[in-house]
Amino acid sequence: MNKKDILIGLLEDDAKKVNQSVSLSSLEGTVVTVTGATGLVGFNIICALAYFNEHFAKNYIHINALSYKKPTGIMRDIFIEKKVVSIFGDLGDSNYIKDIPVSDSIIHSAGYAQPGKFLDDKIKTISINTSATIDLSKRLKKGGRFLFLSSSELYSGSSINKNTESDIGNTDPGHPRSCYIEGKRAGESIINVLREKGLRAVSARLALAYGPGVKDGDKRVLNQFIEQGISGEINLLDSGDALRTYGYISDVVTMLLNILTNNNQPVYNVGGKSTISIKDLALKIGGLMTASVNIPDSNSFMDDAPKTVGLDLTLIESEYGHNEYIDIDYGLAKTIEWITAYNEEKDSRGSDN
């Protein structure tokens, strides 16, 4: 099996899991626009919708994929093969948004979830979550659906280990990551105003999705460990005591599409239940990849980052019956397989990637 077939197989396995857990029939014959279409979450949402078109739909979902840059490589190929309409441009440009097709549903998943990127252009980070959210809502048909991807970082500063949707953090606008935190907070406020105006708008506070579909160069720690593991050596930047709770991508997409198609609340926590320290994550990936792991004594790296990221998922579990989660050992194995095959397939394409 060539690398492209391996990559497509991994994506389709997860898309199948999603379609086994959520009914997308209410989206048949409608126009669905996904921003952040080449990001991990947006791309997997599109794959799930395309899988529904191929295997279940009598009337196809018309899928618009919005991305900042023109898709390349495997993503471009999949968009072409699945008849996904690719529209690329800057969501910070209101004129670009005005030309986006009017849609029955908009899933706004654009915006860097990687600190190294969302801190590089703080104004754009704020605008993608605020002004772009407002402009996108104007491209929605009457009675349409709007799903805004918020973040568990809204709980930053909270002393609670498992935050419910009624909790909130206590960071202020001077926080080093405030462009992201306050941008998401303002985005949720916009969603609540849209609900008041009669739109079926909802926010999802997402925490740490991982899995097949991630691009090369992703700076999030799990993916960086795998990239390093390919070279045989994983190096932590601090002692790795911070705890993280990861959600495998098929679980995350299932939750998000359930929320899009049938929601009763303005905001839902979305994530997983695989809680692990950064150190133990590195050791687990090192073991799976037969790579050495180097752990320094320093505990000073990224002091502004949350020490723990935990979500109470009771609301989404009770409303949608989502009680089974992909095990992190399975999820890591699939992610390692994806990143390894993705890099090799990309290298084989050369300049056409």
Side-chain angles (χ1 to χ4, degrees):
M1 183 181 293
N2 63 41
K3 300 304 178 183
K4 180 179 176 180
D5 289 340
I6 291 173
L7 295 172
I8 291 173
L10 288 167
L11 293 168
E12 290 193 340
D13 283 349
D14 287 335
K16 181 179 180 180
K17 290 185 182 74
V18 173
N19 276 271
Q20 290 172 336
S21 302
V22 57
S23 172
L24 299 177
S25 58
S26 64
L27 301 179
E28 280 199 63
T30 70
V31 178
V32 178
T33 295
V34 182
T35 72
T38 59
L40 173 64
V41 175
F43 184 48
N44 274 275
I45 287 173
I46 289 169
C47 289
L49 297 175
Y51 188 94
F52 176 81
N53 278 345
E54 288 188 330
H55 295 275
F56 302 108
K58 296 178 181 178
N59 297 307
Y60 271 21
I61 302 169
H62 182 95
I63 308 167
N64 295 319
L66 273 59
S67 58
Y68 181 60
K69 295 180 180 179
K70 186 176 181 179
T72 59
I74 186 69
M75 294 183 177
R76 177 193 60 202
D77 293 352
I78 287 174
F79 287 170
I80 293 171
E81 292 170 10
K82 307 299 183 183
K83 298 180 174 59
V84 174
V85 177
S86 178
I87 306 170
F88 52 95
D90 187 354
L91 284 173
D93 181 357
S94 59
N95 289 322
Y96 162 68
I97 297 179
K98 287 177 183 177
D99 292 333
I100 292 171
V102 175
S103 306
D104 298 282
S105 301
I106 294 176
I107 302 171
H108 187 19
S109 68
Y112 298 123
Q114 306 172 48
K117 289 191 173 182
F118 69 62
L119 294 175
D120 282 345
D121 191 338
K122 295 182 179 182
I123 294 298
K124 178 166 282 189
T125 295
I126 294 170
S127 68
I128 286 176
N129 290 300
T130 55
S131 57
T133 302
I134 295 170
D135 290 339
L136 284 166
S137 71
K138 297 175 183 177
R139 307 306 297 159
L140 200 62
K141 293 180 182 179
K142 184 177 181 180
R145 301 179 171 103
F146 195 109
L147 172 59
F148 173 71
L149 263 66
S150 185
S151 170
S152 63
E153 289 228 18
L154 266 68
Y155 300 123
S156 292
S158 170
S159 60
I160 302 171
N161 290 330
K162 290 289 183 72
N163 290 276
T164 69
E165 290 79 357
S166 61
D167 298 321
I168 203 68
N170 59 12
T171 56
D172 63 42
H175 190 278
R177 298 154 79 101
S178 67
C179 62
Y180 188 70
I181 298 169
E182 301 302 329
K184 292 297 187 184
R185 195 189 306 273
E188 285 194 20
S189 181
I190 293 165
I191 292 300
N192 287 329
V193 172
L194 295 177
R195 289 176 66 88
E196 292 173 3
K197 292 180 176 294
L199 288 177
R200 290 183 286 176
V202 61
S203 299
R205 291 178 184 160
L206 177 60
L208 298 175
Y210 76 104
V214 66
K215 292 186 291 187
D216 60 324
D218 190 292
K219 299 301 183 184
R220 283 169 286 197
V221 66
L222 184 150
N223 303 308
Q224 283 294 292
F225 286 165
I226 295 174
E227 293 278 4
Q228 292 177 29
I230 293 172
S231 301
E233 185 177 50
I234 298 172
N235 296 297
L236 276 71
L237 295 172
D238 65 11
S239 57
D241 294 330
L243 294 175
R244 295 291 180 265
T245 302
Y246 288 94
Y248 186 68
I249 191 62
S250 63
D251 287 332
V252 166
V253 172
T254 295
M255 293 179 190
L256 292 174
L257 289 175
N258 267 321
I259 293 168
L260 173 73
T261 55
N262 183 27
N263 59 81
N264 295 311
Q265 303 296 328
V267 60
Y268 294 82
N269 285 337
V270 171
K273 291 198 169 180
S274 297
T275 300
I276 190 170
S277 71
I278 301 298
K279 177 180 69 176
D280 288 341
L281 177 67
L283 292 170
K284 187 177 284 288
I285 292 172
L288 289 169
M289 302 185 75
T290 319
S292 62
V293 179
N294 301 315
I295 305 171
D297 293 330
S298 170
N299 200 27
S300 61
F301 179 67
M302 290 187 71
D303 286 334
D304 58 304
K307 297 300 183 290
T308 60
V309 178
L311 298 179
D312 187 317
L313 299 175
T314 301
L315 177 60
I316 199 163
E317 289 175 345
S318 61
E319 192 157 324
Y320 302 106
H322 190 99
N323 295 302
E324 295 184 5
Y325 294 83
I326 296 295
D327 177 80
I328 194 166
D329 289 324
Y330 173 93
L332 287 176
K334 293 298 180 182
T335 310
I336 291 168
E337 186 178 2
W338 167 271
I339 291 177
T340 302
Y342 182 93
N343 288 343
E344 293 175 358
E345 197 269 347
K346 185 172 182 286
D347 289 343
S348 70
R349 288 177 182 259
S351 60
D352 181 33
N353 56 30

